[in-house]
Amino acid sequence: MAGWQEALERQARTRAKAGLTRTLRPRAADDSVVDLAGNDYLGLAAHPEVIAAAAEALHRYGLGATGSRLVRGSTDAHTALETDLAGWLGAEQALVYSSGYLANLGAVRALAGPGTLLISDRYNHASLIDGCRSSGAEVVVAPHADPAALATILDAHPGRETVFVTESVFSVDGDLAPLAELHAVTSAHDTLLLVDDAHALGILGDSGAGGVAAAGLAGKPDVIVTATLSKSLGGAGGVVAGPAALIRHLIDTGRTFIYDTAPPPAVVAGVRAALRITRAADDRRAVLVARADQTVSRLTAAGFPVTAPAAGVLSVTAPGPEAALTWAEDCRDRGIAVGCFRPPSTPDGSSRLRLTLNAGIAAEDFDRALDVIVECAP
């Protein structure tokens, strides 16, 4: 075995001893597991109107986009979705990417460079962290969801070009950033605010327009919104929404946009159908809120430390990485899929079960899922 392979094997053994081995688990199309691990919050991934729109586009355009957006990958389906997203989010323009990860990398890199001070919430998603690290900017990690701490950091760097980066609903614990208060600080310090709205889009705000809209910040010229299209909208892709000048800059210079193959038109058309449904889906949002309350009540009564969800994601602390893995596997063996989050996915080094709620699950299945989670606890 070559030396580099031996080094990888040693690293794999170290991860295994720490309970940090990860495993791919392919699922069949007819999988009957109750899904509290995926991100299909509103149950739209298999909605008949979404499937029909995607199928029609598949027949019209073929399987793939066949090229990057600037070569042959842009279609009228992409343009229509961007128009709808911009209107929904209250932004001047929107730009669609093939993933939320690439959208975040592209947005952070576009807004920061060697002379910029990037301030990143301690609990930010890996895509935002990677965007900060690759930007060439000076990066300061800020205490979690703390406007006063942010103000102190900005006061210590007067006259700097600054950008503050945060999620709205955080992807592990599901808590909501105090966006209005954070914006008051960034606005007073002439600082851009970039918000990853991935876990709030479709759930919070009027017509589900997200956490930024719910905080009254939609369309603000100093607020940039990113999101994935793979959660409440049930599809795939990402979006950056904001002033036209930013979108122009991303099209002209953004490497994660220019050099990436466009998302397939069928997926784009399906997401656009899901967006139409989502805007009128107050009934599904109400189910999600009720299920969040039910989950917290059931697990708290059973003695588990549970985060209070702002939208559709919450977490339950596990004794350690191996215990979290065993807990998740035991639930799966009984037909319930839950997320198992271990370092480095967790921001504080602890391990959790992450539950992502789904308004499309039958009530009796949801009730049974909560019972199984309690019964399988280590």
Side-chain angles (χ1 to χ4, degrees):
M1 181 181 294
W4 66 270
Q5 291 175 302
E6 291 177 353
L8 295 182
E9 289 291 343
R10 286 194 300 272
Q11 294 174 38
R13 289 193 294 270
T14 300
R15 291 194 301 272
K17 288 180 181 179
L20 300 180
T21 297
R22 285 161 166 77
T23 304
L24 291 173
R25 299 180 181 277
R27 63 179 174 88
D30 59 354
D31 178 38
S32 61
V33 168
V34 178
D35 187 7
L36 296 184
N39 297 308
D40 187 19
Y41 294 124
L42 299 180
L44 298 182
H47 191 286
E49 293 180 31
V50 173
I51 299 301
E56 180 185 5
L58 181 65
H59 286 291
R60 290 177 59 206
Y61 295 100
L63 180 60
T66 76
S68 67
R69 292 289 305 277
L70 291 172
V71 180
R72 287 283 291 170
S74 282
T75 68
D76 48 5
H78 292 81
T79 300
L81 176 59
E82 288 169 340
T83 299
D84 288 354
L85 284 166
W88 188 32
L89 299 175
E92 194 171 1
Q93 288 187 13
L95 190 66
V96 166
Y97 288 70
S98 63
S99 75
Y101 190 99
L102 292 179
N104 273 345
L105 258 65
V108 174
R109 288 176 175 176
L111 296 172
T116 308
L117 177 67
L118 270 174
I119 307 170
S120 175
D121 187 283
R122 180 170 175 252
Y123 281 15
N124 273 343
H125 188 267
S127 58
L128 294 173
I129 294 170
D130 289 351
C132 291
R133 288 174 176 173
S134 65
S135 68
E138 179 185 354
V139 179
V140 173
V141 177
H144 177 55
D146 190 336
L150 174 62
T152 298
I153 294 170
L154 289 170
D155 286 340
H157 297 84
R160 291 285 299 275
E161 178 183 321
T162 50
V163 181
F164 176 59
V165 182
T166 184
E167 296 180 58
S168 54
V169 171
F170 285 85
S171 56
V172 176
D173 288 339
D175 57 317
L176 178 65
L179 292 179
E181 293 84 353
L182 291 168
H183 179 257
V185 173
T186 58
S187 179
H189 290 80
D190 196 24
T191 294
L192 280 176
L193 174 62
L194 188 154
V195 182
D196 180 352
D197 225 0
H199 289 274
L201 193 67
I203 302 172
L204 301 183
D206 184 36
S207 76
V212 171
L217 303 179
K220 296 284 186 182
D222 57 350
V223 178
I224 311 302
V225 179
T226 66
T228 177
L229 310 177
S230 62
K231 301 189 188 321
S232 289
L233 297 179
V239 62
V240 178
L246 171 64
I247 303 305
R248 178 74 265 167
H249 183 72
L250 290 168
I251 292 171
D252 284 345
T253 69
R255 296 173 69 86
T256 63
F257 178 81
I258 296 170
Y259 298 106
D260 187 52
T261 297
V267 174
V268 169
V271 168
R272 189 177 180 221
L275 191 159
R276 289 196 300 270
I277 297 167
T278 297
R279 295 186 74 155
D282 287 344
D283 55 341
R284 291 175 183 256
R285 283 185 278 275
V287 170
L288 206 65
V289 169
R291 288 187 170 175
D293 291 342
Q294 178 187 354
T295 303
V296 170
S297 176
R298 177 75 175 91
L299 298 182
T300 300
F304 301 121
V306 184
T307 60
V313 56
L314 58 95
S315 68
V316 189
T317 302
E322 293 182 353
L325 184 61
T326 300
W327 195 355
E329 289 178 342
D330 288 348
C331 288
R332 183 179 293 275
D333 289 343
R334 294 184 57 182
I336 310 299
V338 296
C340 176
F341 275 49
R342 297 163 289 164
S345 298
T346 52
D348 53 8
S350 64
S351 295
R352 301 161 171 77
L353 287 194
R354 190 187 75 162
L355 310 181
T356 45
L357 309 180
N358 187 326
I361 296 172
E364 59 271 21
D365 289 336
F366 188 77
D367 293 343
R368 178 171 64 86
L370 296 183
D371 289 339
V372 167
I373 292 167
V374 171
E375 293 163 7
C376 290

